Amino acid sequence: KAGVTQTPRYLIKTRGQQVTLSCSPISGHRSVSWYQQTPGQGLQFLFEYFSETQRNKGNFPGRFSGRQFSNSRSEMNVSTLELGDSALYLCASSLNKPETQYFGPGTRLLVL
Amino acid sequence: GQQVMQIPQYQHVQEGEDFTTYCNSSTTLSNIQWYKQRPGGHPVFLIQLVKSGEVKKQKRLTFQFGEAKKNSSLHITATQTTDVGTYFCAGRDTGGFKTIFGAGTRLFVKA
């Protein structure tokens, strides 16, 4: 099976812009979770989707949003980008519960 | 809310020495997973522990889940340079669907 894919792999944006990141889970996986990883904060949970519904949400401002499509592919959107949003954004998929998770390579976002 | 603490934050070892990282949760966990992230890479799933007191081995790696299902450890025997990376534990509490990651332990191995 193909692994989790994320696009784009790298992105440079300026403050105030918005960005959309995409994640395609492993075939058959219905749960998709998003994480923000920064050197100082480790892996921070953003949200988790299952069957097109947000099942859980971390402690991030409303500028961070996501959705999941009927084919389980997921997108996350960050509006009004801030310098502090620079990070590696990781998507992880799992069969049903967000336990044994398989991570994608991540999207590295730089906000200037 | 649920918190997962992981120690130490960093560990420098000489090749051939042993290494252990510990994970402690503020709440009882349904299960715990361990991941390894190589420098510049993404987390890769290593193992999942579910039962109280469970011990699992993968070659030189030994994983333990505490009796109270609130703590876990990963022990590497005779480290090698290929063990370099950050090891994360991740646990889901018994109530919900949120998995919380520990901050990770970064392992440095000197040849």
Side-chain angles (χ1 to χ4, degrees):
Chain A
K1 279 186 181 178
V4 178
T5 58
Q6 289 186 247
T7 57
R9 292 293 311 278
Y10 304 92
L11 208 47
I12 299 176
K13 292 285 188 178
T14 55
R15 278 181 299 172
Q17 287 187 309
Q18 75 162 21
V19 67
T20 299
L21 311 181
S22 181
C23 171
S24 292
I26 290 172
S27 177
H29 284 195
R30 298 166 66 190
S31 167
V32 175
S33 298
W34 287 89
Y35 297 88
Q36 182 195 65
Q37 186 173 38
T38 56
Q41 297 296 319
L43 274 163
Q44 300 294 312
F45 172 74
L46 280 155
F47 26 65
E48 187 239 347
Y49 286 87
F50 179 82
S51 290
E52 301 179 67
T53 301
Q54 187 180 88
R55 191 158 61 176
N56 237 310
K57 191 177 188 306
N59 299 321
F60 278 80
R63 300 185 296 108
F64 292 81
S65 62
R67 58 178 175 168
Q68 186 180 34
F69 302 95
S70 58
N71 61 358
S72 293
R73 189 178 70 83
S74 177
E75 287 181 348
M76 68 162 280
N77 184 276
V78 189
S79 62
T80 320
L81 284 166
E82 300 177 359
L83 295 179
D85 296 333
S86 294
L88 178 66
Y89 290 88
L90 290 159
C91 156
S93 78
S94 55
L95 270 173
N96 291 304
K97 297 177 183 176
E99 294 171 341
T100 303
Q101 298 184 68
Y102 295 88
F103 284 81
T107 294
R108 193 166 293 279
L109 172 65
L110 178 61
V111 181
L112 302 175
Chain B
Q2 179 194 3
Q3 288 188 332
V4 175
M5 310 298 291
Q6 194 173 351
I7 57 169
Q9 190 176 2
Y10 302 97
Q11 184 83 60
H12 291 256
V13 299
Q14 195 75 32
E15 190 174 24
E17 291 182 337
D18 292 355
F19 158 76
T20 305
T21 172
Y22 300 90
C23 196
N24 290 287
S25 170
S26 57
T27 59
T28 302
L29 300 171
S30 291
N31 50 53
I32 195 159
Q33 300 90 48
W34 285 92
Y35 295 81
K36 176 184 179 182
Q37 184 174 22
R38 294 181 186 272
H42 57 274
V44 173
F45 172 76
L46 293 176
I47 206 159
Q48 175 170 276
L49 305 171
V50 179
K51 300 176 184 175
S52 167
E54 189 170 14
V55 178
K56 286 189 176 180
K57 291 191 175 185
Q58 286 181 351
K59 297 183 180 178
R60 295 178 293 106
L61 278 61
T62 302
F63 304 85
Q64 292 189 323
F65 200 10
E67 294 291 339
K69 300 184 75 174
K70 295 180 75 173
N71 57 71
S72 181
S73 66
L74 157 59
H75 178 83
I76 302 179
T77 304
T79 54
Q80 300 174 358
T81 54
T82 53
D83 295 326
V84 162
T86 301
Y87 292 85
F88 293 95
C89 63
R92 183 171 67 85
D93 65 29
T94 54
F97 289 96
K98 189 184 295 186
T99 294
I100 303 298
F101 278 76
T105 295
R106 186 155 183 189
L107 173 63
F108 298 87
V109 180
K110 186 175 181 182

